[in-house]
Each structure stands twice: as structure tokens, then as C-alpha cells.
Amino acid sequence: DAGVIQSPRHEVTEMGQEVTLRCKPISGHDYLFWYRQTMMRGLELLIYFNNNVPIDDSGMPEDRFSAKMPNASFSTLKIQPSEPRDSAVYFCASSAGLRPNTIYFGEGSWLTVV
Amino acid sequence: QKEVEQDPGPLSVPEGAIVSLNCTYSNSAFQYFMWYRQYSRKGPELLMYTYSSGNKEDGRFTAQVDKSSKYISLFIRDSQPSDSATYLCAMSQGAQKLVFGQGTRLTINP
């Protein structure tokens, strides 16, 4: 299996622009997670889905952030409008069931908002 | 106070040394304890997983969980330059919402 695939790997955008990050989970995994990693706050859970349904979005920082999972093999995290403080590495992860030892992370999307 | 505290380092040791990495936590409901290794510009990868208290060994790596003290440790024996990475502890109450430490940056010098 190719693992969790994220795109783009790097994005530089101007403040106010819309940013869309994409994720393809591991085939057969029924949980999908979006995390954000910054130097100041470390790795934080933003939202997670089970069988394409959002279960907990309490980590989403504000209304500018939204996430969707239209099918089992694709999810997006959208920021609109983007701000410099959104600069971070965004990781997607997936797992098979509620077993933390089956959570696999993608390589991340490095976002810089200038 | 953060739920999970981890010294960010950096920590630099000579090759072959025993490395000790630690995390403390405040939520007594945590039951799942993990250590992730993250190489530069890569995603975290699971290194060790422990449910509840106790020790677990895997090759050169040993994970310990002391729930009474709310303290977990990762030991690396015979450290190698390839072990140079950031090590993140993570824990959760239910299996799905992991809370991560800040990560400790480790360098093993040849």
C-alpha cells in the first residue's frame, strides 16, 4: 500500500487566498484525521471522520477552516481566507478502527501564508 | 498547564549511549500511550504502543508507563546516528483523540 497520500507537499500563498489541502487515506481505513503541527503548539488534532462522517471538529481553530470527506478515499481541508498564523504543517492520518496502533500519518503539507 | 509535557531538548548524545526520553501528563483517564518518531520533513511514524501501565520492549527500544506517577519513558539502547529524529509522546483516553507532547529533538553523534 502507498500509505496516506497528501497534496500539495508545499504551498506558499498570499494572505486572503483560499487554500485547499488534499488527502487520500489508506485503502480500507475507516478513520481519517487532520492534524496541524507548529513549533509553538506542537501536533494538534483538528478534526476526524469515521466512515466519511465528521465526528469531532472541536479542534478546528475557527470558521475559516472547513473539512470534508466526500468518499472513503478522499478528504479536503480548506482555509478561506488564509492568514499568516495559519502557516504550519498539516498532516492527514488514517486508521483501521479505534486502535491507536493502526494510525498512519502522511508526509504532511507544508503551508506558508505570506 | 498542558495535558502532556515533554522537554523539547535538543538532546545530543554520542553513538552507543543509552537515551532516555520522558513525558508527564495530567489526565488520569489516559489509557493508550505511544511514542512516535519523526524524521525531518516527514510524518510521525509509530514506534511503540502500550495500553495502560507496564513495560514493552522492541529490539533496542523500551517503553515504560507509570500511571501512578503519570509518567512515561522511552529508552533507546546502543543508539545509532539513524536514531536522530524528533520523538513525540502521545496518549489518549479513547483510541481516537491523541494528545501529543511537544517532541524532543534527538541527535546521535557518530
Side-chain angles (χ1 to χ4, degrees), chain A residues 33-47:
Chain A
F33 308 84
W34 282 101
Y35 283 86
R36 179 173 67 175
Q37 188 174 39
T38 61
M39 289 292 290
M40 289 296 294
R41 301 175 66 92
L43 201 58
E44 301 174 290
L45 178 65
L46 300 178
I47 184 172

Side-chain angles (χ1 to χ4, degrees), chain B residues 11 13 37-40 76 79-87 104-110:
Chain B
L11 182 62
V13 302
R37 179 174 61 196
Q38 185 175 21
Y39 290 114
S40 180
I76 307 173
S79 55
Q80 305 293 309
S82 58
D83 296 328
S84 298
T86 296
Y87 289 80
T104 300
R105 205 166 88 193
L106 172 67
T107 301
I108 309 296
N109 301 302

Side-chain angles (χ1 to χ4, degrees), chain B residues 7-28:
Chain B
D7 186 341
L11 182 62
S12 182
V13 302
E15 182 176 356
I18 295 175
V19 177
S20 172
L21 304 168
N22 312 293
C23 289
T24 59
Y25 62 95
S26 57
N27 188 344
S28 58

Side-chain angles (χ1 to χ4, degrees), chain B residues 91-108:
Chain B
M91 45 200 82
S92 65
Q93 180 178 341
Q96 65 274 34
K97 292 188 74 172
L98 299 183
V99 180
F100 283 84
Q102 280 287 97
T104 300
R105 205 166 88 193
L106 172 67
T107 301
I108 309 296

Side-chain angles (χ1 to χ4, degrees), chain B residues 46 55 61 92:
Chain B
L46 183 65
N55 295 355
F61 298 89
S92 65

Side-chain angles (χ1 to χ4, degrees), chain A residues 42-64:
Chain A
L43 201 58
E44 301 174 290
L45 178 65
L46 300 178
I47 184 172
Y48 75 93
F49 296 81
N50 176 222
N51 291 323
N52 314 337
V53 177
I55 303 300
D56 188 333
D57 66 355
S58 59
M60 296 286 261
E62 40 193 287
D63 291 347
R64 298 184 297 104

